């Protein structure tokens, strides 16, 4: 055994839930981005230096990050949350971002500045289980590498003033694999329903967000169920009889969701508004577009609905 091996019980404890967030998801960088698009990188870097003492406005994912980090301050014995800034800025132009982080009192200590390169290459060494970014190409690269990721969509920033963190997830191609969605695409709704009914007792394979749910549940388990600072919801267009396989899969995984809504194809946005989601993750652009009018939304460009030949944008999920 190596001399420096840590054999204490703490060494076997799971680490914190680590979330990588890009600067454009965390802060409102629209004006800066327009400078980059119109005048190029050199002018953008100069612009950021010129304005580095001007505090950036809050971005779509700001309140999510704030609530996640707030879980570390309650004195409870849980793994905690770490947010890592992952930015295409350089360290020099990124000074404005860190000034803004300090202004708002966000406990973000680690950062990766790539000076125009994709931060996707640094997801594994950062230990992040989830990556949130406004750059769809970076998100797709992270998903292809086997990690959860979502493209944060432009949205009116509506702060959920409840202190409780409320997270909502779609099912197929997000929490679960897209295996059932593929049957729907290739053979239609009736074949999908029949297949799911026959396979009701066979757990679905994991989707990219299963590890995220597991990390959330490790934090939730430190609190009484009735007084929990985190509440989760599964909001899916599935309906009976396709609901049973979802329930049995979550049971087999040992994962609970606090609320589950099987909507049978009804629009999800009103339910998200009633749930008060701080963020919603879905793989289909049509649902994300509608949801983003109500709540912060992350598009998960994963699975059959996001393949070039896909025509299921108005489909089951």
């Amino acid at each position: 055994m190596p001399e420096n091996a840590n054999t204490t019980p703490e060494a076997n404890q799971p680490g914190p839930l680590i979330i990588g967030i890009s600067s454009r998801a965390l802060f409102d960088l629209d004006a800066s981005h327009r400078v980059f698009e119109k005048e190029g990188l050199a002018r953008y870097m100069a612009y950021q230096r010129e304005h580095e003492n001007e505090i950036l406005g809050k971005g779509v994912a700001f309140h999510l990050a704030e609530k996640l980090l707030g879980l570390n301050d309650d004195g409870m014995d849980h793994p905690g949350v770490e947010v890592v800034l992952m930015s295409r800025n350089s360290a020099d132009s990124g000074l404005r971002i860190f000034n803004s982080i300090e202004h708002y009192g966000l406990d973000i200590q680690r950062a990766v500045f790539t000076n125009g390169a994709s931060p996707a290459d640094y997801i594994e060494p950062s230990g992040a289980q989830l990556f949130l970014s406004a750059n769809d190409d970076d998100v797709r690269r992270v998903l292809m590498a086997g990690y959860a990721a979502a493209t944060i969509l432009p949205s009116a920033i509506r702060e959920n003033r409840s202190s409780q963190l409320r997270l909502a997830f779609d099912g197929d191609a997000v929490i679960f694999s897209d295996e059932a969605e593929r049957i729907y695409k290739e053979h239609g709704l009736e074949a999908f329903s029949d297949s799911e009914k026959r396979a009701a007792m066979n757990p679905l394979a994991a989707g990219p967000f299963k590890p995220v749910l597991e990390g959330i549940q490790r934090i939730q388990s430190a609190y009484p169920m009735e007084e929990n600072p985190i509440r989760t919801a599964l909001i899916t267009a599935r309906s009976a009889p396709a609901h049973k396989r979802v329930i049995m899969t979550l049971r087999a995984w040992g994962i609970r969701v606090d609320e589950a809504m099987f909507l049978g194809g009804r629009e999800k946005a009103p339910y998200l508004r009633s749930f008060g989601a701080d963020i919603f993750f879905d793989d289909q652009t049509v649902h994300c577009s509608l949801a983003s009018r109500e709540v912060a939304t992350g598009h998960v460009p994963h699975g059959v609905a996001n393949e070039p030949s896909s025509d299921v944008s108005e489909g089951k999920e």
Side-chain angles (χ1 to χ4, degrees):
M1 179 180 296
E3 290 182 5
N4 62 349
N6 190 340
T7 58
T8 63
E10 290 78 6
N12 297 319
Q13 295 297 317
L17 177 66
I18 301 176
I19 299 175
I21 299 184
S22 75
S23 51
R24 283 178 60 205
L26 190 60
F27 294 116
D28 180 0
L29 281 161
D30 286 352
S32 305
H33 191 63
R34 285 193 293 271
V35 171
F36 169 74
E37 290 183 320
K38 292 179 179 180
E39 302 182 50
L41 181 59
R43 177 60 194 135
Y44 168 83
M45 294 176 68
Y47 177 89
Q48 292 294 65
R49 287 194 299 271
E50 292 164 6
H51 295 268
E52 66 184 25
N53 292 318
E54 296 177 15
I55 301 303
L56 292 161
K58 298 175 182 180
V60 175
F62 180 92
H63 294 299
L64 172 67
E66 189 175 45
K67 283 190 175 183
L68 284 164
L69 290 169
L71 295 169
N72 298 328
D73 299 329
D74 57 16
M76 298 296 288
D77 184 19
H78 58 67
V81 178
E82 182 182 3
V83 171
V84 180
L85 179 69
M86 308 194 79
S87 174
R88 283 176 172 260
N89 280 272
S90 67
D92 185 55
S93 62
L95 183 58
R96 185 184 185 192
I97 297 164
F98 258 122
N99 286 343
S100 299
I101 287 171
E102 183 178 0
H103 169 81
Y104 290 113
L106 295 178
D107 185 19
I108 298 176
Q109 300 176 14
R110 286 201 290 155
V112 175
F113 292 106
T114 63
N115 195 23
S118 173
D121 295 333
Y122 299 97
I123 293 298
E124 182 177 359
S126 74
Q129 292 103 328
L130 172 62
F131 177 61
L132 304 177
S133 174
N135 187 305
D136 190 65
D137 290 337
D138 289 342
V139 166
R140 288 176 183 272
R141 288 186 60 180
V142 171
L143 284 163
M144 288 179 64
Y147 298 90
T151 307
I152 298 299
L153 302 183
S155 172
I157 299 174
R158 297 180 176 89
E159 182 179 358
N160 179 358
R161 297 192 179 278
S162 166
S163 60
Q164 191 175 51
L165 174 61
R166 294 189 164 227
L167 307 171
F169 303 86
D170 181 30
D172 294 301
V174 179
I175 296 175
F176 314 114
S177 75
D178 69 341
E179 59 191 85
E181 190 73 58
R182 288 185 179 275
I183 292 174
Y184 171 80
K185 179 182 184 296
E186 294 171 6
H187 303 290
L189 181 59
E190 184 175 352
F192 162 80
S193 298
D194 289 344
S195 173
E196 290 301 280
K197 187 175 182 179
R198 289 194 306 270
M201 302 306 292
N202 300 328
L204 288 153
F209 276 71
K210 181 192 175 189
V212 177
L213 265 182
E214 289 173 331
I216 291 166
Q217 184 155 309
R218 284 194 294 270
I219 297 173
Q220 284 183 304
S221 63
Y223 304 87
M225 188 178 296
E226 62 276 9
E227 297 178 5
N228 210 288
I230 306 175
R231 192 164 184 84
T232 56
L234 169 68
I235 301 183
T236 171
R238 283 178 178 247
S239 59
H243 70 296
K244 186 173 183 179
R245 192 177 186 193
V246 166
I247 294 170
M248 299 307 294
T249 298
L250 291 172
R251 186 178 296 177
W253 290 351
I255 291 177
R256 82 161 199 269
V257 291
D258 296 297
E259 301 187 26
M261 304 171 201
F262 299 94
L263 303 184
R266 294 183 68 88
E267 185 181 329
K268 298 178 181 182
Y271 293 86
L272 289 162
R273 182 174 62 246
S274 295
F275 176 65
D278 288 293
I279 195 165
F280 172 56
F281 298 103
D282 197 298
D283 66 308
Q284 294 214 24
T285 54
V286 63
H287 297 307
C288 289
S289 177
L290 293 170
S292 66
R293 301 174 188 174
E294 301 290 343
V295 300
T297 300
H299 174 230
V300 182
H302 174 73
V304 65
N306 293 280
E307 292 175 354
S309 61
S310 175
D311 58 359
V312 296
S313 61
E314 300 290 343
K316 169 192 66 60
E317 277 289 338

